[in-house]
Amino acid sequence: GQNIDQPTEMTATEGAIVQINCTYQTSGFNGLFWYQQHAGEAPTFLSYNVLDGLEEKGRFSSFLSRSKGYSYLLLKELQMKDSASYLCAVMDSNYQLIWGAGTKLIIKP
Amino acid sequence: SQTIHQWPATLVQPVGSPLSLECTVEGTSNPNLYWYRQAAGRGLQLLFYSVGIGQISSEVPQNLSASRPQDRQFILSSKKLLLSDSGFYLCACRSRDRDTGELFFGEGSRLTVL
């Protein structure tokens, strides 16, 4: 079966760095996505990785290793507004998105 | 850029009543459209997707149905709601013009069935 694993919850301190991991087992691979979802709101797109390596976008970076079935989202200089759930999703061979359950990130002052 | 409008935002319905959620898309043509449901603290569950007018694929057997009467309109319906239908419903769109293929989501509709 297809599976996406990510931690349920993480806690970090304002101004610090946090890494959210995602491992996947899917039938085929056509890219990996990270989304941010604030409580009660719709997910918003953060990043897309289809080749191995690091993609950087301001305070957020996303890394992919296809051979290991592994990705992480790195958030730097954490701000209180970064408190949200972070969803990992993989596009399989049928171009359908397989979603993880999300990681709830709690930022403390 | 594309925008997705979804309504109503919130609704409370009794068990056995009908449901209609509507989604419209602007800024793109012939998109792929999706209905997802998200239970509290859970991931996104794909309910239906559509690659064109009148073309609906169902991912999960249930008492819900979907229709796409126009290119940029997607409707989620039920004739008789169950308690288990409560959740956060999200309409999403994927433009065929974008290489990355990311989904854009509507604002969501929170349904409580009592």
Side-chain angles (χ1 to χ4, degrees):
Chain A
Q2 309 205 89
N3 198 48
I4 310 282
D5 286 316
Q6 48 182 134
T8 304
E9 187 174 296
M10 299 181 70
T11 303
T13 305
E14 190 177 15
I17 299 173
V18 70
Q19 177 175 311
I20 302 174
N21 295 325
C22 171
T23 57
Y24 63 90
Q25 291 176 313
T26 57
S27 55
F29 179 85
N30 281 299
L32 185 144
F33 299 81
W34 284 97
Y35 281 79
Q36 180 190 61
Q37 185 177 24
H38 286 100
E41 298 181 9
T44 55
F45 171 73
L46 287 179
S47 68
Y48 170 73
N49 294 70
V50 67
L51 299 176
D52 290 351
L54 189 68
E55 295 280 342
E56 296 186 78
K57 267 190 191 179
R59 294 188 299 114
F60 292 7
S61 303
S62 56
F63 171 83
L64 173 67
S65 169
R66 288 171 296 171
S67 62
K68 296 181 179 178
Y70 167 71
S71 172
Y72 67 73
L73 181 69
L74 191 71
L75 292 73
K76 302 177 184 176
E77 302 168 15
L78 286 169
Q79 302 175 9
M80 296 304 292
K81 67 178 182 180
D82 297 329
S83 292
S85 287
Y86 291 84
L87 310 179
C88 174
V90 173
M91 189 178 293
D92 69 10
S93 56
N94 294 318
Y95 294 91
Q96 296 297 340
L97 279 176
I98 312 301
W99 293 86
T103 298
K104 182 178 180 181
L105 178 62
I106 300 169
I107 310 296
K108 295 186 174 179
Chain B
S1 62
Q2 55 199 319
T3 56
I4 304 174
H5 301 288
Q6 182 182 340
W7 69 93
T10 307
L11 61 167
V12 180
Q13 297 282 109
V15 169
S17 65
L19 171 74
S20 180
L21 301 178
E22 189 162 344
C23 170
T24 58
V25 179
E26 296 176 359
T28 186
S29 296
N30 195 24
N32 289 345
L33 297 175
Y34 305 79
W35 278 111
Y36 283 92
R37 177 169 61 202
Q38 187 176 37
R42 305 285 295 275
L44 293 171
Q45 179 188 32
L46 179 63
L47 301 176
F48 300 94
Y49 70 93
S50 171
V51 299
I53 297 174
Q55 300 178 64
I56 309 294
S57 295
S58 174
E59 291 295 305
V60 182
Q62 60 215 328
N63 67 320
L64 300 172
S65 62
S67 62
R68 185 170 178 176
Q70 300 180 48
D71 180 47
R72 286 174 279 184
Q73 183 185 26
F74 205 23
I75 299 171
L76 182 70
S77 304
S78 174
K79 293 182 179 178
K80 287 186 177 182
L81 284 169
L82 306 173
L83 286 174
S84 57
D85 291 324
S86 293
F88 191 46
Y89 288 82
L90 289 156
C91 177
C93 165
R94 176 183 293 152
S95 172
R96 298 174 194 274
D97 302 328
R98 300 181 69 88
D99 294 335
T100 54
E102 71 266 31
L103 292 184
F104 292 91
F105 288 87
E107 305 92 336
S109 299
R110 186 163 303 281
L111 170 65
T112 302
V113 182
L114 301 175

